[in-house]
Amino acid sequence: MKVLVPVKRVIDYNVKVRVKSDQSGVDLANVKMSMNPFDEIAVEEAVRLKEAGTASEVIAISIGPEKAQDQIRQALAMGADRGILIKTDDEVEPLGVAKLLKAVCEAEKPDLVVMGKQAIDDDSNQTGQMLAALLGWAQGTFASKVEKAGDKLNVTREVDGGLQTVSLSLPAIVTTDLRLNEPRYASLPNIMKAKKKPLDIKSPEDFGADIKPRLKVVKVTEPAKREAGVKVGSVAELVDKLKNEAGVL
C-alpha cells in the first residue's frame, strides 16, 4: 500500500504571531517556521503503517516556497521514503491545494492519503474533504485511531457526541486529529539519511491545475485585548452586574 502525506510549512506554534502595520497580513520576517503539527501526526501515522508492514512506501509532499524542502526533509527523517515539492511563492487556497493533490494522486496512484485535519495558520479544515470530493474517494476525518482490516480501513473519528468508527474502502482520505498519536523526534542518523533520500521539485504548471485565488483578504487584525476582571463582594452583586452591565442574563 502506497501512502501520500501532504505537509505544510507554517509559523511555529510557539511563536507569537504579529500582524503587519498595514493590516495586509501576518509578519513572516525572521519568524521561525516548522511543519504543521497536524501534519506531523499524519507523517507519524503513515510511518507506523509502514513499520507494521501495512504500507510499502510513504511519500511526503508539500506545496509552497523552496524553503518548504525543510519540512519535507523532516518528514523523510521521520521515516518517509521520498518527497515531492510543488514549488510556488504564491498563496495557495485549500481548493488549489486539493486540485494539485488530486493531480499528484492521479500520477502516483496512492492507496491512502493521510493529512492533518487543518493547518494552524488559516485553520480552514477544508483540503481533505475537497480532495476526497474531487477524487470521489472515501474519507475519514478527525481520526483518533486508524486500523487496517482486510481490504478495509477502520477509522475512529472524534465527533461532537463522542467517537464514531467508519469502515472505508481503499483508496481513501484520512485527516488526523491530535489524539491519533505522538509524533517521534527524528534522530541525528535519520536526519543525515534524509539528506540522501530523493526529493523531486515540480511546479503547479506541471500538473495543469487552476490554483488562482478566489478569496481576497481585506484586512488582518489582532484579537481585541482582554480587559481586566473585577471582584464582587457577593452573589447578588455578581448577578446584578451580569444582568445590568454584561447583559447576559
Side-chain angles (χ1 to χ4, degrees), residues 66-243:
E66 188 170 354
K67 288 186 177 180
Q69 291 185 54
D70 296 342
Q71 282 62 54
I72 297 176
R73 292 293 180 194
Q74 180 184 345
L76 297 177
M78 291 174 67
D81 298 291
R82 59 187 174 94
I84 301 172
L85 171 63
I86 302 179
K87 183 182 172 183
T88 176
D89 293 321
D90 297 329
E91 190 72 27
V92 185
E93 294 173 356
L95 180 59
V97 173
K99 288 180 178 180
L100 288 172
L101 291 178
K102 173 180 181 287
V104 172
C105 287
E106 290 172 345
E108 293 287 345
K109 293 182 169 47
D111 303 285
L112 179 64
V113 178
V114 185
M115 60 197 304
K117 68 173 185 178
Q118 65 194 73
I120 62 172
D121 53 0
D122 58 16
D123 277 332
S124 292
N125 183 17
Q126 295 174 342
T127 305
Q129 295 88 326
M130 288 178 170
L131 178 59
L134 290 173
L135 289 168
W137 289 7
Q139 61 176 306
T141 55
F142 318 125
S144 62
K145 187 176 181 181
V146 177
E147 290 179 314
K148 185 76 162 53
D151 60 347
K152 300 285 187 179
L153 196 71
N154 292 334
V155 177
T156 302
R157 305 178 59 234
E158 296 196 357
V159 296
D160 291 340
L163 298 177
Q164 176 191 54
T165 300
V166 293
S167 181
L168 308 180
S169 299
L170 297 176
I173 311 291
V174 172
T175 70
T176 62
D177 214 332
L178 284 173
R179 279 162 286 278
L180 179 58
N181 61 51
E182 183 75 27
R184 69 192 68 188
Y185 287 101
S187 64
L188 182 58
N190 286 338
I191 292 173
M192 300 306 293
K193 290 177 184 177
K195 294 180 179 180
K196 298 181 180 179
K197 290 184 178 180
L199 197 164
D200 295 330
I201 298 180
K202 305 284 188 180
S203 69
E205 291 74 24
D206 293 334
F207 299 98
D210 177 18
I211 60 170
K212 289 185 295 186
R214 288 167 166 75
L215 301 175
K216 180 182 179 181
V217 176
V218 178
K219 68 176 179 177
V220 177
T221 58
E222 292 186 3
K225 291 184 179 180
R226 188 173 180 177
E227 296 181 0
V230 295
K231 291 183 179 181
V232 295
S234 65
V235 174
E237 186 181 352
L238 172 62
V239 172
D240 180 68
K241 285 184 176 293
L242 290 175
K243 183 177 181 180

Side-chain angles (χ1 to χ4, degrees), residues 27-40:
D27 187 4
L28 300 179
N30 301 315
V31 172
K32 181 183 177 183
M33 308 293 284
S34 63
M35 185 191 299
N36 179 46
F38 290 102
D39 296 342
E40 280 190 86

